[in-house]
Amino acid sequence: MAASRTGRPPVQRAARRPAPRPSVPDNPLRRLRTRARRAWDRPLTAYYLILGGSLLIIVLGLVMVYSASQITALQLSLPGSFFFRKQFLAALIGGVLMFAAARMPVRLHRALAYPILAAAVFAMALVQVPGIGMSVNGNRNWISLGGSFQIQPSEFGKLALVLWGADLIARKQDKKLLTQWKHMLVPLVPVAFLLLGLIMLGGDMGTAIILTAILFGLLWLAGAPTRLFAGVLSVAALIGVILIKTSPNRMARLACIGATEPKAGAADCWQAVHGIYALASGGIFGSGLGASVEKWGQLPEAHTDFIFAVTGEELGLAGTLSVLALFAALGYAGIRVAGRTEDPFVRYAAGGVTTWITAQAVINIGAVLGLLPIAGVPLPLFSYGGSALLPTMFAIGLLIAFARDDPAARAALAMRQPRFGRKRASGSRVERVPRRWNTMRRRASARPSGER
């Protein structure tokens, strides 16, 4: 070491350390928000939301159908579980349809569009044939299958319009024909009006509203110009006003919006008001499952159109908000599937199914809350009714198939490990390596009988 001028060894200076950065306080809310954002952006988020949300709605609906329909069944001299057993059977059949739809390739869904439309139109026309069609609650839109089983073909008309309309618009988009207004409207609007006419012959205004919502959803997704969209909407609104004005029953339902007394002028608002009574008496956590008072003959259609009111009475605000959250998650997942795909058919079909389910849920819940007129439509996947449950579960299977068909979702599903072990290559053969709990179980079973 070289000496300094004074003869003393040089003083070694310590390396200068960088100034410490100011510590950022750990914010739990920020971490939670970051984790939630990462979870929402995962490829399989829509898949799990659709599958899990729909199954939860169906299971909770079965529970509420059993609770809400017992008194009605006993009043009809039927077993208390009569309506529940029919709904459970429909859910099993619908589960098979949902699984089949989820496993079908997209091209097979497109191939089924025209046969489903033809079958729906034929069945809806059979409703008007004397001796075949039958009336329920003043609407002639049912076909008897023998015994207590009936079918409502107009519910399958919703599925037919979604599949056929999505296939039609996708083919026209491939041929660059959607820039012309006549190709945007024809033949989509005439066929939709044909279905609406067959529905209105039976007097089912509620189903016609849902079908109209599907039509406008398809036109909006296809990029219809504002003037064209407004023109079709004006024609539909004019027809709707005429149909409401010419029907005293529909005018009475319109007068019951916001009613707080069973007798609102000349209109009998018994059902609407008692639906509000049921919701108001539920409180935060409800009166308990099976403890509803309104279902004892006070609230008509407690297990069908007004099952949401019984849910509010027995499960309270917590139960109703849970149902709303499940439908919101299902709607978000459907919009996400439609927005992230590159396939035009998948975009239009997913958007049509999402419009169908969300519009029907809003109309049903709005009627129970007294914000909309009673349209007589069930709550999707929740209310009693096999005719409504079967096509809706098939439509959920469509959304599941579309969510699985996304390239990122396919890659994520392919990377998932097997549930009960992972495969390991050993030479030319593939052997399965058991998980730790399997190994421990074998070790435990291999101990001598006298060893503890």
Side-chain angles (χ1 to χ4, degrees):
M1 180 180 297
S4 62
R5 294 180 181 179
T6 60
R8 297 177 180 178
V11 178
Q12 296 183 356
R13 298 179 179 178
R16 183 175 297 177
R17 297 180 179 179
R21 296 181 180 180
S23 60
V24 180
D26 190 11
N27 191 345
L29 293 178
R30 182 178 300 175
R31 286 185 311 182
L32 182 61
R33 184 173 57 187
T34 303
R35 291 179 180 178
R37 186 183 297 112
R38 290 176 181 174
W40 284 114
D41 291 336
R42 290 176 181 174
L44 293 176
T45 297
Y47 170 74
Y48 288 130
L49 282 178
I50 296 170
L51 180 61
S54 59
L55 290 180
L56 285 175
I57 294 173
I58 293 170
V59 171
L60 183 58
L62 287 172
V63 173
M64 294 310 304
V65 164
Y66 180 67
S67 175
S69 64
Q70 286 181 326
I71 307 304
T72 304
L74 294 175
Q75 288 175 345
L76 297 174
S77 300
L78 297 171
S81 61
F82 176 78
F83 294 105
F84 168 77
R85 286 181 294 176
K86 291 183 62 177
Q87 185 75 355
F88 185 73
L89 177 61
L92 291 179
I93 300 174
V96 175
L97 294 177
M98 185 174 70
F99 179 80
R103 291 294 178 177
M104 288 181 187
V106 175
R107 62 178 181 274
L108 183 55
H109 287 302
R110 300 187 69 168
L112 290 176
Y114 282 87
I116 291 178
L117 177 65
V121 172
F122 178 73
M124 291 165 67
L126 281 181
V127 172
Q128 307 304 323
V129 177
I132 298 180
M134 58 182 301
S135 298
V136 176
N137 294 331
N139 294 336
R140 186 182 179 85
N141 51 6
W142 296 83
I143 294 178
S144 177
L145 300 179
S148 61
F149 292 94
Q150 304 162 354
I151 189 171
Q152 188 176 0
S154 57
E155 293 291 341
F156 294 87
K158 304 173 187 176
L159 177 63
L161 181 61
V162 168
L163 285 177
W164 177 80
D167 178 69
L168 175 69
I169 299 175
R171 286 189 289 107
K172 289 195 173 187
Q173 179 176 334
D174 293 338
K175 297 179 181 179
K176 307 293 194 261
L177 297 176
L178 293 181
T179 56
Q180 306 176 29
W181 69 269
K182 61 180 180 180
H183 286 287
M184 181 77 70
L185 297 180
V186 181
L188 177 62
V189 175
V191 171
F193 279 10
L194 171 64
L195 295 175
L196 288 172
L198 291 174
I199 292 173
M200 290 308 302
L201 283 177
D204 190 358
M205 186 75 175
T207 305
I209 294 174
I210 306 300
L211 212 67
T212 305
I214 296 173
L215 172 62
F216 285 122
L218 291 174
L219 289 176
W220 183 78
L221 290 170
T226 305
R227 290 178 297 177
L228 183 63
F229 198 84
V232 178
L233 181 61
S234 301
V235 173
L238 179 62
I239 296 175
V241 169
I242 294 174
L243 292 174
I244 293 174
K245 287 286 187 180
T246 55
S247 173
N249 184 29
R250 298 187 186 116
M251 287 296 297
R253 293 186 179 187
L254 194 64
C256 290
I257 297 179
T260 57
E261 296 293 336
K263 199 70 175 178
D268 185 5
C269 302
W270 180 274
Q271 186 176 16
V273 171
H274 278 273
I276 298 296
Y277 290 169
L279 290 172
S281 60
I284 301 297
F285 298 105
S287 58
L289 191 63
S292 170
V293 176
E294 292 292 333
K295 68 182 181 183
W296 286 77
Q298 300 295 325
L299 180 64
E301 307 297 336
H303 60 295
T304 54
D305 301 345
F306 272 68
I307 194 171
F308 189 76
V310 179
T311 304
E313 185 179 5
E314 295 187 351
L315 303 183
L317 182 64
T320 55
L321 289 181
S322 300
V323 175
L324 291 176
L326 290 174
F327 276 109
L330 195 59
Y332 166 80
I335 294 173
R336 175 170 171 160
V337 170
R340 294 197 174 190
T341 184
E342 298 295 334
D343 190 338
F345 172 78
V346 172
R347 181 183 305 112
Y348 299 134
V353 171
T354 305
T355 304
W356 163 14
I357 295 176
T358 53
Q360 186 164 330
V362 167
I363 291 174
N364 177 274
I365 296 174
V368 175
L369 295 176
L371 304 176
L372 295 174
I374 300 175
V377 296
L379 190 58
L381 304 173
F382 201 85
S383 296
Y384 169 79
S387 296
L389 185 63
L390 295 181
T392 308
M393 292 188 70
F394 188 90
I396 294 296
L398 284 177
L399 290 180
I400 295 174
F402 298 156
R404 290 169 56 94
D405 193 61
D406 182 74
R410 285 203 306 265
L413 288 172
M415 292 175 61
R416 291 196 312 182
Q417 294 180 352
R419 183 174 179 83
F420 295 104
R422 54 187 184 276
K423 295 181 180 179
R424 181 180 66 186
S426 176
S428 59
R429 63 175 185 170
V430 177
E431 59 178 349
R432 187 175 296 276
V433 179
R435 293 193 181 273
R436 183 176 299 176
W437 66 271
N438 267 338
T439 309
M440 294 176 65
R441 186 175 63 178
R442 287 202 307 272
R443 289 176 182 175
S445 62
R447 292 177 179 176
S449 57
E451 183 181 352
R452 290 184 176 231

